[in-house]
Amino acid sequence: MSSSNTPSLARDRSSSHTKDQLVANVEINPNAINPLVSSWQLEYKTSITNIEHLCQTLGLEIRQLPISCQANKQFPLRVPQSYVKRMQYGNPNDPLLLQVLPTSHEEKHIDGYIKDPVGDLQSIKSPGLLQKYNGRALVLATSRCAIHCRYCFRRHFPYSTQNPRNEGWNKAIQELQLDQSISEVILSGGDPLVLDDSELTKLIRKLESIAHIKRLRIHTRLPVVIPNRINDELLRWMNSTRLQVIMVLHINHANEINIEMHKLFHKLKDINCTLLNQSVLLKNINDQSSALIDLSETLFSAGVLPYYLHLLDKVDGAAHFDVSEDSARSLMREISNHLPGYLVPKLVREIASEQSKSLISY
Ligand SMILES: *Cc1c(COP(=O)(O)O)cnc(C)c1O
Ligand code: SF4
């Protein structure tokens, strides 16, 4: 187990290239900044969306990389600068870079890789409200994300017709009210924490008014890619709701976690928010037992428990990320031999029309 005893401090790579270097390439007109826009929103707005800019920031030559304009057009590059800072300067195979770079591998259409691999469209109850499993309903709170992950199973999702915010959430709320069997609402998307806190507060107040809803789960990558998203406003509404709040983060590699996040995650824990993590098993990114062990150890030191390790959803354009079920099983056996049981995530696959995520035995 290589570096897991010196996890996060060593991993705070902000020194690998200076802040000035990163900011220098972004055109910010200080007069255009609205003082009411919080710092995370500014970070969201100044995310890198230009491949050349990304390469420059990382000291890479565009021609070194298998970049695809076509892939970039279908699902454009988007990555916040604070996440880029955690990438290793000059490394074209950096595990964080590989998660966001549009490449020519995505142009290959492989049999079995489809637009809606998990059957989202069959489980829509009302615009933006999905239910597949007993007791839990999922709200696609927004189509937007702070980062565009190349393996995303919703990269082709028809968000334009699935916006539950039209009509002020009322249609989704009505559906939830009618179904007494639902005790947990999951905010997903897109990334629900892209919405500002006043919008979220509005939604939470409506959810709270439904007596049979006990828990609010938030599936998000925002606290990882823009840690400043965990700000006082967010902590305030989370602390004031009667609902039990669970945050399921999405972190695939230990290098995504830095020391700044430890402090912020602990603020969430202080207000009794349960922190879990789900990862996707991704070829050349985290498909080594050392990487998975390191991830679990680092998550725990940041106050987060591993929840799921997902086999890749077979979405069109992502076949090059797939790790076979056999390799996944052997990785699970290896990590189970090194970790306490509570740090071993459940290996699952999402199969359309099943009643829960399917556990893969190993
Ligand atoms: C994954 C998923 C859930 C959550 O499943 P858990 O096993 O409870 O984590 C709920 N609804 C939908 C539509 C999902 O895809
Ligand atoms: S943050 Fe989540 S929903 Fe958004 S692109 Fe990444 S995997 Fe997809």
Side-chain angles (χ1 to χ4, degrees):
M1 201 168 56
S2 53
S3 61
S4 52
N5 291 333
T6 49
S8 35
L9 283 169
R11 225 168 261 122
D12 191 1
R13 290 231 172 81
S14 35
S15 56
S16 63
H17 27 238
T18 67
K19 201 169 185 172
D20 291 344
Q21 220 177 327
L22 287 158
V23 175
N25 296 319
V26 187
E27 286 173 37
I28 303 175
N29 170 2
N31 301 322
I33 297 170
N34 177 340
L36 296 174
V37 170
S38 41
S39 74
W40 74 267
Q41 284 168 319
L42 185 62
E43 287 190 54
Y44 177 83
K45 286 198 170 109
T46 55
S47 292
I48 297 182
T49 53
N50 176 295
I51 297 179
E52 222 164 302
H53 179 188
L54 177 65
C55 290
Q56 248 175 32
T57 308
L58 292 169
L60 294 168
E61 299 275 343
I62 283 206
R63 0 176 215 96
Q64 277 179 280
L65 303 163
I67 285 162
S68 159
C69 294
Q70 193 184 318
N72 190 44
K73 209 165 157 194
Q74 192 270 316
F75 190 42
L77 170 77
R78 172 168 202 108
V79 55
Q81 310 224 18
S82 93
Y83 190 79
V84 174
K85 272 203 256 176
R86 286 167 250 155
M87 296 178 184
Q88 203 180 16
Y89 191 79
N91 181 4
N93 298 314
D94 178 86
L96 278 54
L97 175 64
L98 295 181
Q99 295 182 48
V100 300
L101 195 71
T103 65
S104 53
H105 309 298
E106 296 174 38
E107 293 172 23
K108 291 186 204 117
H109 303 288
I110 311 263
D111 274 357
Y113 285 77
I114 55 177
K115 298 256 193 272
D116 179 20
V118 297
D120 271 346
L121 295 175
Q122 303 153 38
S123 52
I124 293 173
K125 293 186 83 180
S126 78
L129 184 71
L130 269 62
Q131 191 181 11
K132 289 184 184 170
Y133 309 142
N134 286 329
R136 292 150 285 171
L138 187 146
V139 178
L140 298 175
T142 172
S143 60
R144 290 181 294 146
C145 289
I147 185 168
H148 288 175
C149 315
R150 307 315 299 178
Y151 47 82
C152 180
F153 68 93
R154 291 207 182 107
R155 60 180 286 171
H156 305 283
F157 192 81
Y159 284 109
S160 54
T161 56
Q162 296 297 329
N163 188 349
R165 269 163 90 203
N166 298 343
E167 318 160 60
W169 307 102
N170 289 338
K171 186 88 186 68
I173 296 293
Q174 226 168 39
E175 286 283 335
L176 291 168
Q177 236 154 10
L178 288 173
D179 189 344
Q180 298 230 351
S181 71
I182 294 173
S183 56
E184 177 165 334
V185 171
I186 300 172
L187 302 186
S188 180
D191 194 315
L193 293 189
V194 162
L195 298 178
D196 67 33
D197 292 305
S198 61
E199 184 72 28
L200 285 165
T201 308
K202 206 157 68 179
L203 172 60
I204 304 314
R205 296 289 170 255
K206 288 181 195 254
L207 293 172
E208 277 171 348
S209 71
I210 305 173
H212 53 264
I213 296 177
K214 295 187 199 134
R215 290 185 299 274
L216 173 73
R217 200 197 307 186
I218 303 171
H219 281 190
T220 179
R221 199 150 158 65
L222 233 315
V224 182
V225 299
I226 304 180
N228 287 331
R229 180 65 186 92
I230 305 171
N231 59 2
D232 291 346
E233 286 95 318
L234 179 98
L235 293 166
R236 212 171 297 135
W237 66 253
M238 263 191 195
N239 196 25
S240 70
T241 177
R242 72 160 179 86
L243 304 168
Q244 283 191 292
V245 185
I246 303 119
M247 194 180 274
V248 181
L249 299 162
H250 173 184
I251 306 175
N252 298 313
H253 195 282
N255 290 6
E256 291 175 53
I257 302 169
N258 65 17
I259 199 71
E260 181 195 358
M261 265 182 248
H262 284 220
K263 289 192 209 123
L264 292 164
F265 290 176
H266 279 101
K267 285 192 185 179
L268 289 168
K269 291 186 60 131
D270 285 346
I271 56 162
N272 287 327
C273 172
T274 301
L275 289 176
L276 304 174
N277 182 63
Q278 53 182 346
S279 315
V280 184
L281 186 57
L282 298 164
K283 195 171 196 164
N284 298 328
I285 291 173
N286 59 10
D287 62 336
Q288 287 193 322
S289 57
S290 57
L292 294 173
I293 290 166
D294 206 5
L295 174 59
S296 276
E297 294 272 0
T298 311
L299 283 169
F300 192 69
S301 62
V304 185
L305 279 172
Y307 179 38
Y308 281 149
L309 177 63
H310 291 265
L311 289 166
L312 184 83
D313 295 315
K314 293 187 184 293
V315 66
D316 183 33
H320 56 293
F321 288 116
D322 195 33
V323 175
S324 73
E325 220 166 280
D326 275 350
S327 310
R329 286 199 174 95
S330 91
L331 281 167
M332 289 303 296
R333 286 193 294 270
E334 279 177 57
I335 71 168
S336 306
N337 286 341
H338 285 88
L339 289 168
Y342 59 89
L343 291 188
V344 180
K346 292 181 200 174
L347 179 67
V348 289
R349 183 186 290 290
E350 182 159 352
I351 301 173
S353 73
E354 288 290 328
Q355 286 306 294
S356 67
K357 311 275 187 244
S358 302
L359 271 179
I360 311 289
S361 58
Y362 48 90

